[in-house]
Amino acid sequence: MPDLSFQVEGAASVAYSATPLLAFKLRVTNADAQEVVRSVALRCQIQIEATQRKYGAQEQERLLDLFGAPERWSRTLRAMLWTHANVNVPQFQDSVVVDLPVPCSFDFNVAAAKYFAGLDDGEVPLNLMFSGTIFYELAGAGLQIEQVPWDCEAKYRLPVRVWKEMIDHYYPNIAWLCLRRDVFDKLSQYKMDRGIPTWEGAIESLLNAESEGRDADSQAQVSASSLSVS
């Protein structure tokens, strides 16, 4: 019966894909080097072990939406699910290296996307948890089927640089924001009413108006204080 272990040897962006995609170089090794494994239908759940790294002041500020204020991180900072991945491992003896395709989202409504975008550099500690079905032959008994044990895992520290280079390749100088339909309709109407040609221009106009409103309120408070003193 196969006794498999797993190790991630590296990760890189896939240059030509319909959506952002990382390829993890996954080595699958069988304890019995002479046994032939016909194939493995492998499933993988990838978790971000957020507590296993340090965070700079700017990173803490950008991760406020996920974990709250840094003084609360002892209670709120925890591992989170990133994604699921699948790969069919071909026939091998001893060991084989396959590309595990890991789809990546740049939707800022997704917690993992917020997390990656909030990091400056360094590495992201990952825990890859495997399951699936092993197909192999047993002498005199023909094709056999076994399940990948539930405790099969692999640790890997993904360089933040790899994720950023992938996103820059697929979305150069772009960030995606998903809006509710009613909010989008209001923004669209605002844009058309003012003849603003781009969505960026509409959002900048709103931000500028809000900033000017704050400045006007501050000036009014200062004037009121001056009159009160007089």
Side-chain angles (χ1 to χ4, degrees), residues 1-2 132-136 144-148:
M1 173 180 170
T133 306
I134 308 169
F135 300 89
Y136 68 103
Q144 304 292 304
I145 297 176
E146 291 289 343
Q147 296 301 305
V148 175

Side-chain angles (χ1 to χ4, degrees), residues 13-23 101-106 166-167 169-171 176:
S13 172
V14 177
Y16 303 102
S17 175
T19 58
L21 189 69
L22 289 176
V102 178
C104 302
S105 172
F106 201 38
M166 175 198 64
I167 293 299
H169 172 75
Y170 283 92
Y171 302 123
W176 288 100

Side-chain angles (χ1 to χ4, degrees), residues 24-189:
F24 282 42
K25 294 294 182 182
L26 179 66
R27 181 174 292 279
V28 185
T29 302
N30 189 11
D32 183 352
Q34 303 305 314
E35 185 176 35
V36 177
V37 177
R38 291 302 181 188
S39 66
V40 183
L42 192 63
R43 298 186 297 273
C44 179
Q45 180 186 113
I46 306 178
Q47 285 195 341
I48 298 171
E49 296 190 316
T51 60
Q52 301 302 309
R53 61 158 286 164
K54 295 181 178 179
Y55 301 88
Q58 291 185 340
E59 292 176 328
Q60 292 176 0
E61 184 177 342
R62 288 194 291 266
L63 294 173
L64 184 69
D65 192 33
L66 279 179
F67 305 122
E71 55 267 23
R72 298 180 55 229
W73 281 22
S74 61
R75 301 188 301 275
T76 61
L77 189 66
R78 60 190 181 278
M80 67 175 73
L81 173 66
W82 178 11
T83 190
H84 293 84
N86 302 276
V87 65
N88 289 318
V89 180
Q91 178 174 309
F92 71 95
Q93 279 182 273
D94 187 16
S95 70
V96 65
V97 176
V98 296
D99 282 343
L100 177 66
V102 178
C104 302
S105 172
F106 201 38
D107 181 351
F108 281 92
N109 287 318
V110 178
K114 289 183 183 179
Y115 179 82
F116 278 107
L119 303 180
D120 289 324
D121 52 22
E123 297 172 330
V124 178
L126 303 177
N127 185 25
L128 291 79
M129 298 175 288
F130 298 98
S131 61
T133 306
I134 308 169
F135 300 89
Y136 68 103
E137 286 189 6
L138 191 62
L143 186 66
Q144 304 292 304
I145 297 176
E146 291 289 343
Q147 296 301 305
V148 175
W150 64 269
D151 58 348
C152 284
E153 298 181 351
K155 304 288 187 180
Y156 180 65
R157 299 185 72 87
L158 175 69
V160 174
R161 167 187 52 80
V162 172
W163 188 87
K164 289 183 178 293
E165 288 175 353
M166 175 198 64
I167 293 299
D168 287 342
H169 172 75
Y170 283 92
Y171 302 123
N173 197 31
I174 294 174
W176 288 100
L177 184 63
C178 185
L179 301 176
R180 283 200 330 264
R181 179 59 61 84
D182 61 321
V183 175
F184 172 81
D185 289 343
K186 291 177 182 178
L187 180 62
S188 179
Q189 190 65 50

